[in-house]
Amino acid sequence: MIIPSANYVILNEGEPLPPDYERLADTKVAVPSSWLSRILARCKGKSGPFKLKKMLDGFFEPEDLKGKCSTSFRGTVTECIVTALEVFSISKLGLTGTQFTQAFNSKCATCKRAVANNKL
């Protein structure tokens, strides 16, 4: 399943949402409503960790995740994206914080193998 880019925006305090965008669980990251509904529809019947991993494909390239873990993004420009995905995963996908970390780290390990084996 090929996942298109999320075309996300990071909103400043008080900044209005662009037309046809929605926030990821009341965070400052917003994505097109059509992208989010399409991803969730394509993952219907799948587990929360599976949905999160597919969402990660829309935010990051495999090279961005290889050899990293969920805490690797602290203090970086993309920290707010990881935080938004965590909040969304917990509040909307029903994951626990531990399940989020496990799924995120699993995706990073898969990306590391894919990049190493040129399976992109």
Side-chain angles (χ1 to χ4, degrees), residues 1 3 49-70 99-115:
M1 169 186 328
I3 304 297
F50 181 90
K51 293 174 186 175
L52 169 62
K53 291 175 187 179
K54 292 303 170 192
M55 288 180 70
L56 285 167
D57 288 339
F59 286 90
F60 299 101
E61 293 295 324
E63 293 84 7
D64 300 330
L65 296 176
K66 70 175 183 174
K68 302 248 172 88
C69 65
S70 62
Q99 289 171 321
F100 168 82
T101 301
Q102 289 171 339
F104 193 101
N105 293 346
S106 172
K107 180 66 173 183
C108 292
T110 299
C111 289
K112 182 179 180 180
R113 286 189 302 274
V115 169

Side-chain angles (χ1 to χ4, degrees), residues 20-22 31-38:
D20 301 320
Y21 272 68
E22 65 183 272
V31 296
S33 299
S34 60
W35 178 85
L36 184 58
S37 61
R38 186 170 47 245

Side-chain angles (χ1 to χ4, degrees), residues 28-92:
K28 60 183 180 176
V29 177
V31 296
S33 299
S34 60
W35 178 85
L36 184 58
S37 61
R38 186 170 47 245
I39 295 301
L40 296 177
R42 291 170 102 184
C43 297
K44 189 173 182 174
K46 301 289 186 181
S47 68
F50 181 90
K51 293 174 186 175
L52 169 62
K53 291 175 187 179
K54 292 303 170 192
M55 288 180 70
L56 285 167
D57 288 339
F59 286 90
F60 299 101
E61 293 295 324
E63 293 84 7
D64 300 330
L65 296 176
K66 70 175 183 174
K68 302 248 172 88
C69 65
S70 62
T71 58
S72 299
F73 294 92
R74 288 192 182 136
T76 67
V77 174
T78 54
E79 179 180 18
C80 68
I81 296 168
V82 174
T83 300
L85 288 167
E86 181 177 18
V87 171
F88 181 85
S89 296
I90 292 168
S91 65
K92 304 293 185 186

